[in-house]
Amino acid sequence: MGYANMAQRGKGIHLRQFARTFIVGDQTTNDRIVFVSVDAAMMGHNVKRGVIERLAATYGPDLYRMDNVIISGTHTHSAPGGFLSYLMYDMSILGFVKDSYVALVEGIVESIDAAHKNMRYGRIFIDEVDVEDANINRSPIAYENNPQSEREKYGHNTDKKLVQLRFENLDKKVLGAFNWFAVHPVSMNNTNRLVSSDNVGYASILLEKEKNGRETLVGDGDFVGAFASSNLGDVSPNIMGPKCEKTGNSCDILTSKCPKGEGPCFASGPGKDMMESTKIIGSRIYEAASKLLNSKKGREILGPLQSMHQTIDMASARGFFNNSVTNKVDEYQGCLPAMGYSFAAGTTDGPGLFTFDQGTTTDNPLWNLMRDFLAEPTEEDIQCHSPKPILLMTGKATFPYDWTPRIVPTQVVRLGNVVLAAFPGELTTMSGRRMREHIKNTVKSETGDDVEVIIAGLSNLYTSYVATPEEYEIQRYEAASTLYGKHTLTIYLKQFEDITRAMCRNEQLPAGPEQPNLSDKQISLNPPVLYDGHAAGKDYGDVLVEPLLTYEKGDEVYVRFISGNPRNKVIRNGSYFTVEQKQQDGSWKVKYTDADWDTRFVWKRTNTIMGWSEISFFWNIADDAEEGTYRIQHFGWYQYILGGKYRYSGTSREFIVE
């Protein structure tokens, strides 16, 4: 989910998805704040609703609620989709995927349960550090259209600061660290077919390994280290910049096109391939967070716990914009959702289809004809979205159900002198800066307190991008994907000001319009697994390619098994593979799983009619791997042709690492 590329079908696992949770509670008032960072592209309202319903069944309706729980996606583009319930976002996934939805809901609930059971008396500190050479702005020409006086307040056209909350118990033992840094997790490009948490997921693994010990398996251990999303809308990890594929020349800065014969335009990371780029960017983010964490400095977070949540109808909501050209404050209303032409062009991180260009501000009669067949905009709609030419009038597309959301949740929570703004989409760099400043000033005017504002991006619901009104004029991808018109940010600023002000005053606000429940309307074109099979004389788990007898550090172990389809059973809190080391007493100890950076597996259907398939397992032996005797075990389930699913396992022969 993320590149909207229908050819990008999953084939295995590189890095597993995890949900990482912190809970802060005030024992005197029983107020609580919950933040969950999930290795997913974004978050859907139906997922959060499912989580809240399950928490209410366990803890009652008053402890964990819509207003005090934030669920934020890291925005990895290499994790399964099919859980967002709006058609446009699930279209490239061929609709709803129950396995994805259930895994997310149950995994997030388990994460919150674990945090609930492990709460300790403690202290929280906030600190920040600059991360160098980890992000660039992928739409610099749009950023440059923001007022010069505003741009001069900042040293870069992306946010370089990593903000960290450090959690300690009363003995000063660090329990966890949650980090926010603005970067798209798209180091793994759209040719990738393996589930991966990308650069920020790798940073989490490194930080947790550092604090929990090298021997601790990924996902285990007491320390929790998260890298959550912020205002990453126009921010790329592909720091080598966009180039023409065949010549290496620079692409056109507005359209991201290359001259004829020079191939497509795409940006690349600092490594020789996407795996190395992911490792480099993830390592740089981790190293900055580790340095910050180990310094044990920062400002202690003290004060009240508060939360506020309200839904709004973005098409009828209004906001006020200070026009720097006319020096007037004008009021604007939102538009029905629509996507522009440049949306179809994609980005330099993942180019789109057909011949669409970024920066397009004129329409095409042929594309308009096709657009109108799906949902025709009125002249009022066209003027409302101007200068964006409408390619998809998603706000009027309701077959077979709503294409994009119109009712949107907004939420702020306060942890003493820190405010988390849960934003339901992707703010660009300058949009995020305006949002932080606006909330900060609102709190200051109400309470006199100087607070730190953190943008928690891609939270609770996904509504695409939010560019500034000035960036909107340029109609790069981010602007064309700004759903509710030129003044989408203007409306959000007003709304977040309102809920922040009400929170500071301890006022109650109306809940707002109810978000639609589209659960019973979901469709899926994903075919189920009908049956598995294997050749005569063989069985599931049989080894087709055994490992070599001896390996050295730096080598790659390769093993291939007869398998069932991995979709037969979602193995959560487990592994499809284990790398096991033989102990002195003859027992075996698990050293690596399919969640480790150094492992991956790839599934392949070898005979569709007979239902035969194979799984290939790879282990790159790192320099810090222990010498000794090893084996590979594979675990899976097969679908019997007459019904029923059955577990199987397979074990490779022993081999030596020396």
Side-chain angles (χ1 to χ4, degrees):
M1 174 60 195
Y3 288 113
N5 185 340
M6 296 188 71
Q8 194 180 17
R9 302 175 186 174
K11 291 185 177 181
I13 292 179
H14 171 230
L15 295 175
R16 274 184 172 258
Q17 296 173 269
F18 288 95
R20 295 173 170 89
T21 299
F22 76 69
I23 303 176
V24 180
D26 184 335
Q27 192 181 34
T28 60
T29 63
N30 208 30
D31 290 331
R32 294 202 171 183
I33 299 298
V34 182
F35 181 83
V36 190
S37 178
V38 185
D39 290 326
M42 60 279 290
M43 193 40 55
H45 171 67
N46 60 331
V47 173
K48 182 174 181 180
R49 183 178 61 243
V51 168
I52 297 299
E53 288 173 353
R54 295 191 187 206
L55 292 173
T58 302
Y59 301 106
D62 298 326
L63 190 60
Y64 299 122
R65 312 173 303 272
M66 278 288 180
D67 68 285
N68 68 353
V69 175
I70 298 174
I71 308 178
S72 170
T74 63
H75 203 37
T76 173
H77 282 40
S78 294
F83 58 87
L84 291 170
S85 77
Y86 287 93
L87 185 69
M88 192 182 78
Y89 300 132
D90 287 342
M91 193 178 296
S92 64
I93 316 296
L94 300 181
F96 179 70
V97 181
K98 184 178 180 180
D99 283 342
S100 294
Y101 170 79
V102 172
L104 282 168
V105 171
E106 292 185 351
I108 292 167
V109 169
E110 286 182 16
S111 181
I112 294 173
D113 281 338
H116 175 94
K117 294 170 183 175
N118 284 286
M119 293 184 74
R120 301 287 185 270
Y121 288 107
R123 303 166 72 187
I124 312 172
F125 298 85
I126 184 170
D127 207 351
E128 60 184 36
V129 65
D130 285 349
V131 183
E132 301 297 335
D133 299 323
N135 62 13
I136 63 168
N137 194 305
R138 69 186 185 190
S139 290
I141 191 172
Y143 179 88
E144 289 295 317
N145 207 47
N146 291 307
Q148 181 177 352
S149 59
E150 184 178 35
R151 288 184 279 115
E152 287 176 348
K153 294 192 297 184
Y154 305 98
H156 303 276
N157 61 7
T158 62
D159 285 339
K160 301 295 183 182
K161 290 190 182 302
L162 179 146
V163 179
Q164 181 181 92
L165 296 187
R166 183 178 80 252
F167 299 85
E168 296 181 358
N169 66 13
L170 296 182
D171 294 326
K172 298 185 178 181
K173 178 185 176 182
V174 178
L175 304 174
F178 276 63
N179 307 274
W180 286 264
F181 180 67
V183 67
H184 253 82
V186 291
S187 292
M188 303 289 287
N189 62 42
N190 63 11
T191 66
N192 174 47
R193 300 292 184 268
L194 304 181
V195 173
S196 176
S197 53
D198 212 286
N199 44 44
V200 292
Y202 181 55
S204 287
I205 290 173
L206 290 175
L207 193 60
E208 290 173 346
K209 282 280 188 181
E210 175 192 333
K211 293 302 178 183
N212 290 322
R214 187 170 60 87
E215 289 295 304
T216 306
L217 296 178
V218 177
D220 291 345
D222 295 331
F223 174 86
V224 178
F227 290 80
S229 58
S230 189
N231 53 322
L232 49 69
D234 53 358
V235 187
S236 171
N238 295 312
I239 59 176
M240 304 310 291
K243 304 290 182 184
C244 299
E245 181 182 35
K246 294 183 179 180
T247 63
N249 293 329
S250 296
C251 316
D252 183 83
I253 193 170
L254 174 62
T255 65
S256 292
K257 284 291 184 180
C258 293
K260 187 176 181 180
E262 295 193 21
C265 171
F266 63 89
S268 60
K272 65 178 184 296
D273 55 28
M274 62 181 174
M275 294 287 287
E276 187 176 66
S277 292
T278 302
K279 191 171 188 176
I280 292 171
I281 297 298
S283 296
R284 289 173 181 173
I285 299 170
Y286 149 71
E287 287 164 3
S290 174
K291 181 179 179 181
L292 198 62
L293 183 60
N294 292 321
S295 71
K296 287 203 170 186
K297 297 179 181 178
R299 181 171 58 143
E300 185 170 9
I301 295 176
L302 300 167
L305 296 182
Q306 295 175 295
S307 61
M308 185 62 65
H309 180 282
Q310 187 181 52
T311 58
I312 58 170
D313 182 343
M314 286 295 293
S316 61
R318 309 179 78 88
F320 302 94
F321 178 66
N322 188 355
N323 192 317
S324 61
V325 177
T326 63
N327 203 28
K328 291 173 57 181
V329 177
D330 299 315
E331 185 178 17
Y332 293 92
Q333 181 174 318
C335 313
L336 287 171
M339 306 297 279
Y341 273 53
S342 297
F343 155 74
T347 72
T348 52
D349 292 326
L353 304 174
F354 308 110
T355 57
F356 290 99
D357 297 338
Q358 293 199 63
T360 299
T361 55
T362 57
D363 57 8
N364 177 288
L366 177 61
W367 287 115
N368 286 353
L369 184 65
M370 297 177 66
R371 171 201 68 194
D372 295 347
F373 177 76
L374 294 171
E376 184 176 0
T378 63
E379 185 61 32
E380 182 181 1
D381 294 325
I382 293 171
Q383 291 301 316
C384 189
H385 281 276
S386 179
K388 175 173 74 181
I390 297 174
L391 178 65
L392 293 172
M393 191 64 209
T394 59
K396 292 184 176 178
T398 57
F399 179 81
Y401 46 89
D402 295 354
W403 281 39
T404 49
R406 173 172 169 169
I407 308 301
V408 175
T410 59
Q411 181 184 15
V412 289
V413 301
R414 182 176 181 182
L415 292 80
N417 39 21
V418 171
V419 173
L420 277 172
F423 195 82
E426 303 180 55
L427 288 161
T428 62
T429 297
M430 192 61 83
S431 293
R433 288 169 174 172
R434 290 183 188 177
M435 180 65 72
R436 282 197 296 260
E437 185 176 13
H438 204 66
I439 294 174
K440 183 181 180 73
N441 290 340
T442 300
V443 176
K444 185 78 170 179
S445 67
E446 287 294 322
T447 67
D449 296 333
D450 187 17
V451 297
E452 184 82 27
V453 179
I454 298 173
I455 302 295
L458 300 130
S459 292
N460 304 331
L461 177 75
Y462 186 59
T463 61
S464 294
Y465 286 75
V466 179
T468 68
E470 295 88 349
E471 292 164 350
Y472 191 91
E473 294 286 340
I474 306 301
Q475 278 301 295
R476 291 276 293 176
Y477 173 85
E478 295 81 13
S481 303
T482 298
L483 275 180
Y484 309 105
K486 179 178 178 179
H487 286 283
T488 299
L489 177 62
T490 303
I491 294 165
Y492 275 126
L493 290 174
K494 173 66 164 56
Q495 173 61 15
F496 274 86
E497 176 187 338
D498 289 347
I499 62 174
T500 301
R501 199 175 300 281
M503 179 182 69
C504 292
R505 296 176 178 178
N506 288 310
E507 294 178 349
Q508 293 297 315
L509 289 177
E514 186 175 354
Q515 292 178 256
N517 187 342
L518 304 175
S519 300
D520 60 346
K521 298 182 180 181
Q522 298 299 295
I523 60 172
S524 177
L525 300 179
N526 288 281
V529 180
L530 299 176
Y531 57 87
D532 292 297
H534 55 75
K538 298 290 185 180
D539 202 357
Y540 301 104
D542 284 357
V543 182
L544 295 174
V545 177
E546 291 279 11
L548 303 178
L549 293 175
T550 306
Y551 293 91
E552 295 181 1
K553 295 180 181 182
D555 291 342
E556 182 177 74
V557 179
Y558 169 64
V559 189
R560 191 163 80 239
F561 296 85
I562 294 175
S563 76
N565 193 318
R567 288 179 59 206
N568 287 325
K569 181 76 171 180
V570 178
I571 301 179
R572 291 191 309 106
N573 299 315
S575 180
Y576 289 94
F577 286 91
T578 53
V579 179
E580 302 174 0
Q581 185 185 36
K582 197 171 190 176
Q583 306 300 295
Q584 289 184 350
D585 62 0
S587 63
W588 293 89
K589 180 180 180 180
V590 176
K591 302 291 288 187
Y592 304 94
T593 69
D594 61 17
D596 278 279
W597 173 265
D598 296 322
T599 65
R600 69 186 191 280
F601 79 80
V602 180
W603 174 82
K604 182 180 181 181
R605 177 72 79 188
T606 58
N607 189 315
T608 303
I609 300 299
M610 303 299 292
W612 298 356
S613 59
E614 301 171 355
I615 277 184
S616 295
F617 176 79
F618 304 85
W619 173 36
N620 290 298
I621 306 173
D623 291 340
D624 62 355
E626 292 183 5
E627 297 179 4
T629 301
Y630 287 84
R631 70 180 185 184
I632 308 298
Q633 281 206 299
H634 162 47
F635 309 95
W637 295 72
Y638 69 88
Q639 173 78 48
Y640 185 47
I641 193 169
L642 297 180
K645 296 178 182 180
Y646 301 91
R647 193 177 191 274
Y648 70 88
S649 62
T651 306
S652 77
R653 70 184 179 188
E654 298 177 11
F655 58 93
I656 295 173
V657 172
E658 60 182 19

